[in-house]
Amino acid sequence: MTLTLSHIKKTFNGFTALDDVTLTAPQNQTTVILGPSGSGKSTLLRCANLLEKPDSGTLTIDEESIGFPARLSAGQIRKIRALSSMVFQSFNLFPNLSVIDNITLGPVRVNGQSKQEAQDAAKSLLDKVGLADKADAYPLQLSGGQQQRVAIARALAMNPRYLLFDEPTSALDPELEHEVTKVMAALSAEDASLVVVTHNLRFARKTADKIVFLEHGNIRFDGPADAFFDSDDPRIRQFLSIYDD
Amino acid sequence: MEVWPIVQESLPFLLQGLWQVTLPLTVAAFVFGLIIGTIVALIRLSRSHGIGIRILQKLCEAYVWIIRGTPELVFLFVIFYGLPNIGVKLDQWTTAIIAFSLNAGAFISEGIRSAITSIPRGQLEAADVIGLNRRDQFRYVLFPQSIRVALPMLVNDLIGILKGTSLVSTIAMTDMFFAAQTIAGRNFQPMILYVTAAVIYIIICSLLTVIQSWLEKASSTYVEVQAA
């Protein structure tokens, strides 16, 4: 069981964001996508749940597979999206809903859970991310780190096979960042299947099973995390050296 | 000259015009305008690429363009005095409701469109990721957030409709303004009559303004909490 994007090409108005990129994210592992800004990391991740549609290539999640270009029905798109859930850089909680309603909206409206069932599950998820006392708060009353942890709980509530993180800590200061990476590391330790786009090398070093390094829409490295941090590739050494200072 | 007796004497007729024409017409035009405006805004913002939707989008654009480019009075005359020429005869009420609803719909659609566009893209992406269908996205995410932004514009539109209804005096409907005109023509006291009518308009607009600030507060609780 894997999430695989193979030979993905994606251009935006003539700019090639992804040029024949292949990514495999095995189940129960943490795959971290690294690379400089503009290298196509987020675009690649967004192709995995069809927030972006590749120009060509294939997306395979577990038993579902789509070859692009494709005309997809709303139902097909929903089926693919149900297999993963995404945590965004800017949290994207619904500000008009309380924390608990943010988390239960999908389970109740999409997965058909009863309200009670969804609320019980949401409370235990909030407990898991350390925010049991914030169920009735509104997103704007929370710090960025708390909002992002609620967003993680909201993603988990959908019981996805894969959790996608799109620069989840880039909008946070170091302390709040730590709150969030702690939760992610705990998920990783429980063998959840994570695919993480990040600039946080410390998180990658501690948590990643597998690293993919993207540059200019191409894959520069794809392999075990240890091999990445020991790589002799001068470009990777240069990338790592900035953070090691 | 005694002002009060004249006001007292004419007030029942003005209020009758207000109650029987001005207010019901305003409410009808606003409700229909809101329905038309919401539908037009949603069509124009649709992300679907079907050919049917694209034709509808062009039609909606044309509708807003034509209505906004035509003075309400001209539009009213086209329907009431013009259409009979080509065999379409509508009574005063039907004419007024059609004219003011279509007029309101075009303006309201622009307000709703801008309110919806003001919602960050990430909100819809989050809703997409969760798997909410379009209807639920509108109901739980778009509507509650955009109504807060749209409220001041909607009340503006409502006030515009209220004042605009005075134009129906030109197709001989006895709204409040027509009543004032009629009485002024009889007792030669236009100053007193028109100022009285103006004051009544102001009072109603003031009430709407109070309701607006009350609704704004109610729809903004989730933003206000930040300060709490």
Side-chain angles (χ1 to χ4, degrees), chain A residues 46 49 51 78 81 84-86 88 92-97 102 105-106 109-110 138 140-141 154 158, chain B residues 121-123 125-136 139-141 144-145 222-223 225-226 228:
Chain A
R46 288 162 61 86
N49 63 5
L51 282 180
R78 230 172 283 147
R81 284 187 178 149
S84 66
S85 203
M86 183 176 266
F88 298 89
N92 295 349
L93 294 178
F94 306 125
N96 54 307
L97 299 178
N102 261 280
L105 182 60
R109 300 298 305 178
V110 181
Y138 280 86
L140 294 179
Q141 291 173 298
R154 178 173 73 175
M158 296 304 290
Chain B
R121 201 188 150 78
Q123 289 290 308
E125 287 190 346
D128 274 342
V129 164
I130 290 171
L132 292 181
N133 61 33
R134 289 273 181 268
R135 229 188 62 209
D136 280 355
R139 178 169 163 197
Y140 293 101
V141 181
Q145 291 183 46
Y222 70 86
V223 182
V225 291
Q226 205 176 5

Side-chain angles (χ1 to χ4, degrees), chain A residues 62-120:
Chain A
D62 297 347
E63 53 281 348
E64 302 287 331
S65 188
I66 301 175
F68 295 94
R71 292 205 68 167
L72 300 169
S73 68
Q76 283 173 298
I77 292 174
R78 230 172 283 147
K79 206 162 158 193
I80 292 288
R81 284 187 178 149
L83 294 169
S84 66
S85 203
M86 183 176 266
V87 174
F88 298 89
Q89 177 177 352
S90 46
F91 329 134
N92 295 349
L93 294 178
F94 306 125
N96 54 307
L97 299 178
S98 66
V99 163
I100 191 104
D101 288 345
N102 261 280
I103 299 172
T104 56
L105 182 60
V108 171
R109 300 298 305 178
V110 181
N111 290 353
Q113 289 182 21
S114 75
K115 193 144 191 181
Q116 191 57 50
E117 194 183 352
Q119 283 187 340
D120 291 344

Side-chain angles (χ1 to χ4, degrees), chain A residues 1-239:
Chain A
M1 295 293 210
T2 56
L3 187 166
T4 306
L5 287 150
S6 50
H7 302 292
I8 296 294
K9 282 189 189 170
K10 177 72 186 174
T11 57
F12 295 103
N13 302 320
F15 171 76
T16 304
L18 296 171
D19 187 12
D20 197 24
V21 171
T22 296
L23 168 88
T24 302
Q27 220 171 38
N28 309 117
Q29 291 196 18
T30 297
T31 305
V32 171
I33 306 174
L34 296 171
S37 294
S39 57
K41 309 182 293 293
S42 289
T43 305
L44 182 61
L45 190 72
R46 288 162 61 86
C47 286
N49 63 5
L50 303 174
L51 282 180
E52 302 293 349
K53 295 205 179 58
D55 299 333
S56 63
T58 313
L59 164 65
T60 310
I61 305 191
D62 297 347
E63 53 281 348
E64 302 287 331
S65 188
I66 301 175
F68 295 94
R71 292 205 68 167
L72 300 169
S73 68
Q76 283 173 298
I77 292 174
R78 230 172 283 147
K79 206 162 158 193
I80 292 288
R81 284 187 178 149
L83 294 169
S84 66
S85 203
M86 183 176 266
V87 174
F88 298 89
Q89 177 177 352
S90 46
F91 329 134
N92 295 349
L93 294 178
F94 306 125
N96 54 307
L97 299 178
S98 66
V99 163
I100 191 104
D101 288 345
N102 261 280
I103 299 172
T104 56
L105 182 60
V108 171
R109 300 298 305 178
V110 181
N111 290 353
Q113 289 182 21
S114 75
K115 193 144 191 181
Q116 191 57 50
E117 194 183 352
Q119 283 187 340
D120 291 344
K123 279 180 187 151
S124 74
L125 286 172
L126 278 174
D127 196 36
K128 188 172 179 157
V129 299
L131 293 170
D133 54 332
K134 297 292 186 191
D136 297 319
Y138 280 86
L140 294 179
Q141 291 173 298
L142 305 179
S143 73
Q146 291 172 329
Q147 288 191 49
Q148 194 61 299
R149 284 185 282 152
V150 173
I152 293 173
R154 178 173 73 175
L156 287 170
M158 296 304 290
N159 287 320
R161 300 272 182 84
Y162 296 87
L163 274 172
L164 314 176
F165 291 84
D166 188 5
E167 300 199 27
T169 58
S170 298
L172 303 172
D173 69 41
E175 279 180 314
L176 299 181
E177 178 168 24
H178 181 65
E179 286 177 7
V180 172
T181 50
K182 229 168 59 187
V183 170
M184 293 167 66
L187 290 170
S188 176
E190 289 168 16
D191 286 339
S193 313
L194 311 185
V195 187
V196 185
V197 167
T198 186
H199 290 293
N200 187 331
L201 279 182
R202 214 148 57 103
F203 171 80
R205 198 190 286 269
K206 270 170 52 183
T207 318
D209 296 305
K210 176 181 172 161
I211 291 208
V212 173
F213 184 77
L214 269 181
E215 187 169 50
H216 305 312
N218 287 291
I219 293 213
R220 180 97 193 199
F221 177 93
D222 178 353
D226 300 340
F228 177 77
F229 288 100
D230 295 337
S231 168
D232 295 328
D233 183 331
R235 175 64 187 109
I236 292 173
R237 291 258 53 96
Q238 182 200 8
F239 181 80

Side-chain angles (χ1 to χ4, degrees), chain B residues 36-49 52-68 105-114 116-117:
Chain B
I36 297 169
T38 307
I39 293 170
V40 168
L42 288 178
I43 289 174
R44 290 188 69 182
L45 289 171
S46 167
R47 291 177 283 172
S48 150
H49 297 295
I53 266 287
R54 267 195 267 159
I55 291 170
L56 275 176
Q57 282 175 333
K58 286 286 160 209
L59 287 174
C60 289
E61 269 174 52
Y63 158 69
V64 173
W65 171 63
I66 289 170
I67 296 289
R68 285 207 305 192
F107 285 92
I108 289 175
S109 79
E110 286 295 274
I112 291 182
R113 197 163 65 93
S114 65
I116 291 178
T117 352

